[in-house]
Amino acid sequence: AAASQLRRVLESQLEDIRGSGTWKNERVIASRQGILNFCANNYLGLSSHPEVIQASVEALEKFGAGLSSVRFICGTQSIHKDLEEKIARFHQREDAILYASCFDANAGIFEALLTPEDAVLSDELNHASIIDGIRLCKANKYRYKHMDMEDLEAKLQDAQKHRLRLVATDGAFSMDGDIAPLREICQLAQKYDALVFIDECHATGFLGPNGRGTDELLGVMDKVTIINSTLGKALGGAAGGYTTGPKPLIDLLRQRSRPYLFSNSLPPAVVGCASKALHLLMESNAIAQSMAAKTQRFRSKMTAAGFTISGKDHPICPVMLGDARLAAVMAEDMLNRGIYVIGFSYPVVPKGKARIRVQISAVHSDEDIDRCVEAFTEVGRKHGALP
């Protein structure tokens, strides 16, 4: 009887999702990511780079499929330590620690670092993993309005009674393609003796002159205390995440961070892939620098066609449509025209803010971008999104 009741409850919820037009289908891809995929986080095109793939194969052959263990038992290999050192060097920090994903890194840091004596101040549009990580900790919690520095300052003033104050923000916000005002955040943090934490998943590898991220782009690398980021987007596209920052913090995370202590270590193939991607990035900044012109080309042409594109100067280019059903049917029509994009709707974005999130990659040619814009224009007119 209990199982039957559960089934009825679940089927009712699923029907509500279908009825609201927010059902998310998973398309099965039978090949590597191609150049007409406009919705992947493959910002630098490295997930299909031959040297990255070969490094993954070599690591698999040399170190095996996996360790079948967590790091402190028998799950640490020399390649894990080498990659952590490389990450710290890339970000110009003291040390780094690997996780299975950045979601795990965000889930593991706040609880280990902050106590009821401390305070954490979080942008209201931070990624779900930051929100969930903050929920796990016992610090005093403040939520400030999105990129609103007056509200953040008011919250910092109120938080002065606490021991540590940590401002937590995405460097680049994944749904809207906007970039946190890190200069102003760091100025406020310095004024009110606070620490700054940034999630750089949608910045590492391609923002800034050398692709080091939002803090490099805005000239505040020496003022950001903690960086969490991913290996699963620009840096190879497979999996994995990390925290980099002061060595005592990294040492503490190795002792206290639950996702680190209770998750198997990263598979060697993933480590090899990410290590080669970082090597290529540190060897030359040409790939990272190629992104700006491609991003500007798409944004300007889409705006000229009559679309509203959220954010600014970021390869995340949300085509704002408002209606969930419209976003879904337009994305389906785009696929029929050979352009792979996905509609985003509630609960991934707020109700009434449905969109198709386009993501530009270094492997997109000018012709690819123009073809994407042409397809959007045709589909937009067909479905009434354009006059």
Side-chain angles (χ1 to χ4, degrees):
S4 295
Q5 183 183 21
L6 172 64
R7 183 177 292 274
R8 288 194 298 271
V9 169
L10 295 177
E11 288 177 347
S12 175
Q13 292 179 10
L14 293 172
E15 190 56 39
D16 287 344
I17 295 172
R18 292 188 185 95
S20 66
T22 61
W23 186 268
K24 294 160 188 62
N25 292 304
E26 296 181 359
R27 296 185 173 113
V28 178
I29 301 172
S31 63
R32 297 176 186 170
Q33 292 185 14
I35 59 172
L36 294 186
N37 185 340
F38 276 87
C39 58
N41 298 311
N42 186 25
Y43 294 109
L44 300 178
L46 295 180
S47 67
S48 55
H49 194 290
E51 290 185 48
V52 172
I53 294 171
Q54 184 58 34
S56 179
V57 171
E58 291 173 0
L60 176 66
E61 292 175 342
K62 182 176 181 179
F63 293 97
L67 280 299
S68 306
S69 182
V70 299
R71 288 284 294 270
F72 79 93
I73 298 178
C74 58
T76 299
Q77 293 176 315
S78 58
I79 52 172
H80 294 100
K81 300 304 293 182
D82 291 344
L83 179 54
E84 286 169 336
E85 186 277 330
K86 189 176 287 186
I87 289 168
R89 184 155 40 92
F90 176 72
H91 286 286
Q92 299 180 5
R93 298 304 195 275
E94 293 178 9
D95 203 356
I97 179 173
L98 290 171
Y99 286 89
S101 67
C102 191
F103 202 111
D104 277 352
N106 285 341
I109 188 167
F110 301 103
E111 183 183 25
L113 175 62
L114 303 174
T115 74
E117 297 180 68
D118 306 315
V120 57
L121 303 95
S122 176
D123 188 293
E124 65 180 350
L125 293 189
N126 275 340
H127 191 269
S129 58
I130 297 177
I131 295 169
D132 286 358
I134 289 173
R135 283 173 177 161
L136 292 171
C137 79
K138 296 180 179 178
N140 298 273
K141 301 170 179 68
Y142 296 79
R143 185 173 66 174
Y144 63 92
K145 296 174 184 176
H146 181 48
M147 301 200 305
D148 186 327
M149 294 300 96
E150 288 186 9
D151 194 37
L152 174 58
E153 181 164 21
K155 299 292 195 301
L156 279 167
Q157 290 170 346
D158 190 51
Q160 287 302 289
K161 52 186 177 263
H162 303 299
R163 184 187 63 166
L164 296 177
R165 291 158 296 282
L166 178 68
V167 179
T169 181
D170 281 349
F173 290 85
S174 61
M175 288 300 111
D176 293 294
D178 47 8
I179 297 170
L182 269 188
R183 289 195 192 100
E184 293 80 0
I185 289 173
C186 289
Q187 288 168 0
L188 287 174
Q190 188 170 10
K191 180 178 179 180
Y192 292 100
D193 197 22
L195 306 167
V196 177
F197 162 97
I198 54 175
D199 178 312
E200 288 284 80
C201 286
H202 290 275
T204 299
F206 57 92
L207 287 189
N210 300 290
R212 289 188 167 89
T214 314
D215 59 340
E216 184 189 46
L217 176 72
L218 298 176
V220 290
M221 290 187 71
D222 60 334
K223 294 179 173 60
V224 173
T225 311
I226 306 165
I227 294 173
N228 277 12
S229 194
T230 183
L231 304 171
K233 292 182 171 59
L235 302 183
Y242 57 86
T243 296
T244 186
K247 189 177 189 308
L249 168 65
I250 304 305
D251 290 342
L252 178 68
L253 293 176
R254 294 193 194 280
Q255 304 301 315
R256 295 277 180 82
S257 180
R258 291 165 70 87
Y260 178 82
L261 289 169
F262 296 103
S263 297
N264 272 13
S265 57
L266 274 180
V270 172
V271 177
C273 157
S275 186
K276 175 56 72 171
L278 262 180
H279 172 77
L280 292 172
L281 198 56
M282 289 192 283
E283 190 176 53
S284 169
N285 65 356
I287 302 176
Q289 289 187 335
S290 73
M291 292 297 296
K294 295 175 187 291
T295 298
Q296 178 58 29
R297 185 181 188 92
F298 179 81
R299 285 180 169 273
S300 62
K301 283 179 173 286
M302 286 291 284
T303 301
F307 288 102
T308 299
I309 310 299
S310 181
K312 182 182 178 183
D313 301 331
H314 192 283
I316 291 175
C317 304
V319 182
M320 304 303 294
L321 299 168
D323 181 79
R325 292 179 188 279
L326 176 62
V329 296
M330 281 186 59
E332 195 65 35
D333 247 4
M334 290 288 289
L335 185 60
N336 293 334
R337 285 165 169 76
I339 307 295
Y340 187 12
V341 291
I342 293 291
F344 282 57
S345 56
Y346 181 82
V348 180
V349 296
K351 290 182 178 178
K353 298 287 186 180
R355 68 204 63 185
I356 292 176
R357 188 181 72 174
V358 174
Q359 289 166 273
I360 304 301
S361 170
V363 295
H364 290 139
S365 67
D366 287 349
E367 291 75 18
D368 296 330
I369 292 170
D370 293 348
R371 180 178 166 188
C372 183
V373 174
E374 289 168 8
F376 259 113
T377 303
E378 292 173 9
V379 170
R381 287 176 180 153
K382 174 182 175 181
H383 295 283
L386 291 177

